[in-house]
Amino acid sequence: INGMGYSVAVYTRSVMAHQSHWHDACIAGLNRHGIKADHRATGDWVESDVAVVWGEKARLAASQCAGRVLVVERGFFGSRMLNASMGWDGLNGRADFNNQNSEPDRWQQHGVPVMDWHGGDYVLLLGQVPGDMSHAHTDLNQFYRDALLNHMSKRVVFRPHPLGSVAPDGCEVDAQSSLSDALAGAMLAVTLNSNSGVDAVLSGTPLAAVDIGSMAWDVSSHNHTLTTPDRTQWLNNLAYCQWNEAEVRSGEAWAHLRH
């Protein structure tokens, strides 16, 4: 996506204040590059070279009438509500963020602490919201059952998602501890593709992530084993997956993503 000779449609559910906020910022950033976007209601689809949407459901619909779809969502680390992730043609780890082999400049700016790898005395199974689009392609409950089978000889603690998730049979449930406290005592965190996997890796808890949609895929095991890789390049790349409002409005985010 280079030059200015292409059409862009930005789709917003106006009742969702966060969508309006970030999509207004996207339009301002596009304007800084001389690109006029057609701002439309989600569902009012038109043919375009580029569609900008919030979330996976809108991406699936927009992909039927746009050459490429830029998905805007919450950020992945730090102040997630004050940052927006922006990636092409997919959700989370399935998106193209144009961020391979990124330089360390953006990560260094964030100042987010990264803890040394540590051990613990239980496996922390991270719950996800039933019905969320991040796992629509698979059976979440089967994932939980498989995880328990893989760790039958260990103490397994299930942490429900704050927005709700049903604990599988055969494990302890900890709905009271903060995520950081729960991770601090774990030898291994296990997730399908929850963003809490990012929190785990930043906290120094080894992670098993079994779906490529995980944003921590590159620094996790995929078969429930324990791995403690170097995280430097992953952190650098991750910093180029999300942007603050000023960076979106100025056009800096678009300058990175359009190449």
Side-chain angles (χ1 to χ4, degrees):
I1 302 294
N2 280 295
M4 294 186 294
Y6 51 89
S7 57
V8 179
V10 178
Y11 298 97
T12 304
R13 289 183 62 196
S14 59
V15 295
M16 307 298 286
H18 62 284
Q19 290 191 24
S20 296
H21 176 84
W22 283 105
H23 288 178
D24 285 347
C26 288
I27 291 169
L30 288 164
N31 289 344
R32 293 292 294 269
H33 290 273
I35 301 165
K36 181 173 174 57
D38 182 10
H39 200 183
R40 309 177 71 86
T42 300
D44 186 16
W45 313 111
V46 294
E47 296 289 329
S48 64
D49 296 309
V50 174
V52 180
V53 302
W54 186 281
E56 177 68 357
K57 287 183 180 180
R59 182 195 72 81
L60 291 169
S63 65
Q64 303 302 308
C65 57
R68 297 202 75 183
V69 182
L70 185 64
V71 179
V72 185
E73 264 283 3
R74 296 295 188 194
F76 300 120
F77 63 89
S79 299
R80 296 188 64 206
M81 302 300 181
L82 299 179
N83 292 275
S85 63
M86 301 175 72
W88 292 107
D89 302 319
L91 180 66
N92 299 339
R94 289 182 165 82
D96 174 10
F97 296 97
N98 190 31
N99 67 332
Q100 291 303 303
N101 300 313
S102 293
E103 297 296 323
D105 56 332
R106 284 182 57 78
W107 179 256
Q108 292 170 353
Q109 291 171 13
H110 283 287
V112 175
V114 181
M115 308 303 290
D116 291 339
W117 294 114
H118 67 252
D121 60 5
Y122 56 83
V123 173
L124 184 66
L125 180 54
L126 298 164
Q128 296 186 221
V129 180
D132 190 81
M133 288 298 292
S134 65
H135 55 78
H137 58 287
T138 192
D139 184 335
L140 184 62
N141 290 321
Q142 186 61 52
F143 158 72
Y144 293 150
R145 290 191 290 269
D146 291 344
L148 289 174
L149 285 173
N150 274 281
H151 299 286
M152 287 181 62
S153 62
K154 304 181 184 72
R155 177 188 172 201
V156 178
V157 177
F158 180 81
R159 185 180 188 278
H161 191 282
L163 296 181
S165 47
V166 179
D169 294 333
C171 62
E172 300 177 36
V173 178
D174 180 4
Q176 305 302 318
S177 299
S178 66
L179 177 58
S180 59
D181 286 345
L183 288 169
M187 70 176 77
L188 177 70
V190 179
T191 183
L192 181 70
N193 58 23
S194 170
N195 193 72
S196 55
V198 173
D199 296 307
V201 174
L202 293 176
S203 76
T205 306
L207 178 70
V210 302
D211 182 78
I212 198 171
S214 168
M215 289 302 295
W217 179 260
D218 291 343
V219 285
S220 65
S221 71
H222 313 311
N223 58 359
H224 294 276
T225 57
L226 191 151
T227 183
T228 55
D230 184 278
R231 293 165 286 181
T232 305
Q233 190 60 60
W234 173 74
L235 294 169
N236 295 343
N237 293 348
L238 188 65
Y240 274 88
C241 294
Q242 72 179 44
W243 307 85
N244 63 36
E245 182 181 354
E247 292 168 334
V248 176
R249 288 190 178 277
S250 71
E252 181 180 347
W254 182 255
H256 169 77
L257 286 159
R258 68 181 179 180
H259 294 300

